[in-house]
Amino acid sequence: MTSLILPTSDGGTREYRLRPATTWAKPTAPLASRRAYAAAHVIPEVTADNTPGAPARLDWEATLGYRHELWSYGLGVADAMDTAQRGMGLDWAATQQLIKRTGAEAGSVVSAGGTATAGMTVRDLVSCGAGTDQLDLATLPSGAAGLQAVLAAYREQVAVVSEAGPKVILMASRALAQAASGPEDYLKVYSTLLQEADQPVVLHWLGTMFDPALAGYWGSDSVDEATETFLCLIRENADKVDGVKVSLLDASHEIALRAALPEGVRLYTGDDFNYPELIDGDGTLHSDALLGIFAAIYPAASAALQSYDAGDAAKARAILDSTRELGKHIFSAPTFYYKTGIAFLSWLNGKQPGFQMVGGLHSGRSVVHLATTFELADEAGLLKDPALAAFRMSDFLRINGVGV
């Protein structure tokens, strides 16, 4: 068996032996019992100026290839989201290209009619975030003018997504959090957008652990009060809401919200800590998924959903549970650096030529943290080629002075 020397948090090292590769079967029919989107990351050109503040230059072949990989396992793709570094390196110019290119690639998958995606539409295959990140927060006006600027920015991005074909996800907005004076401002902006939508959209509620700039979203620092505003919006516009993605890392809150949603509105869990029990459900209701962690565990996630389809809920839950420790580690505080772990696993698995991220975010985690990511991924059977992963991990450690 392949082995290598891993660093420990006390400054020492230890030997680690890798497990044999796990074979994860791809689905032979579209996944049916749960709807799932994996929030995919982006892969930059390795020779680009991948430093903080530099414009994003993406490796389109690798970035789009990763999306095809996710589709081949029967999963939808959530694109242009925080996993793709919206607000953390991916500028609006690059985001527009990402939305358009991913929409076109999804169209090619629909035309090809593969077994895992047969009969699916572009909207089934991909949902894309529409936000307001083209706005400069430093110059955003206050009051009604600020709200109008937010509304115009949302409209611009919704138009780009709609024209490209994917389902629209109305992302949480830093600009709206800055401009809004209370719940009524959130209701006014979102209600306007929902009434203008030509097809149902996904509403996105992102917690401060993912983005501290979203404090007080929905007009209150109280989660209970914010939830009431959120539910009011949904109930008054239920025909325009496909579902809600909630990323608060609070399972009890999600369960209560799920039960309070109008019939036909899905709860897409964004809880990367508690997704096994939330997807499994309580016997009456379950959450669907729109998860960043699914971009890292997609072969296992697909296998779990295939087991649900086959009526073997116990096996499905066991597979999801086997990935929990990896998810908790990748999304550990500071949680907004989880993207680094997802890109690192992509590199270890040969899905990108270098461990690079736009905006220099590949420096967001320590060597010890990434070594643990490697180990937990191996234990979960998520290193596709353990020998390749060990070779790349060994090079990474040596370059960073471990064992030298």
Side-chain angles (χ1 to χ4, degrees), residues 44-51 54-59 356-358 362:
E45 296 179 7
V46 294
T47 56
D49 182 12
N50 296 316
T51 56
R57 279 174 44 197
L58 300 189
D59 179 335
Q356 291 276 313
M357 300 177 71
V358 298
H362 44 281

Side-chain angles (χ1 to χ4, degrees), residues 35-198:
R35 185 170 294 179
Y37 292 95
H41 74 300
V42 293
I43 301 168
E45 296 179 7
V46 294
T47 56
D49 182 12
N50 296 316
T51 56
R57 279 174 44 197
L58 300 189
D59 179 335
W60 289 111
E61 181 177 357
T63 293
L64 297 174
Y66 205 87
R67 283 137 182 81
H68 279 280
E69 175 81 353
L70 295 171
W71 288 322
S72 76
Y73 279 88
L75 300 173
V77 170
D79 219 333
M81 301 290 289
D82 49 293
T83 306
Q85 294 181 244
R86 294 292 294 273
M88 293 188 75
L90 190 71
D91 52 80
W92 174 230
T95 299
Q96 291 185 69
Q97 289 298 310
L98 178 65
I99 292 167
K100 293 173 182 178
R101 288 175 183 251
T102 303
E105 291 298 312
S108 72
V109 172
V110 169
S111 298
T115 56
T117 56
M120 299 177 76
T121 67
V122 170
R123 281 170 53 84
D124 295 326
L125 288 176
V126 61
S127 298
C128 287
T132 64
D133 49 326
Q134 72 271 51
L135 296 175
D136 181 355
L137 297 184
T139 61
L140 183 70
S142 59
L147 295 177
Q148 284 301 312
V150 168
L151 191 56
Y154 265 128
R155 284 169 169 156
E156 178 188 358
Q157 296 204 10
V158 167
V160 171
V161 177
S162 298
E163 185 176 346
K167 185 180 297 179
V168 171
I169 303 172
L170 290 180
M171 297 177 65
S173 164
R174 291 176 181 174
L176 182 54
Q178 179 175 308
S181 59
E184 64 283 352
D185 288 339
Y186 286 90
L187 291 174
K188 180 179 180 180
V189 169
Y190 276 96
S191 295
T192 299
L193 292 169
L194 288 174
Q195 289 305 307
E196 292 175 352
D198 57 359

Side-chain angles (χ1 to χ4, degrees), residues 182-183 186 190 203-205 216-220 225-227 229-230 233:
Y186 286 90
Y190 276 96
L203 297 176
H204 185 199
W205 184 358
Y217 214 75
W218 303 112
S220 177
E225 292 178 10
T227 300
T229 301
F230 190 53
L233 172 71

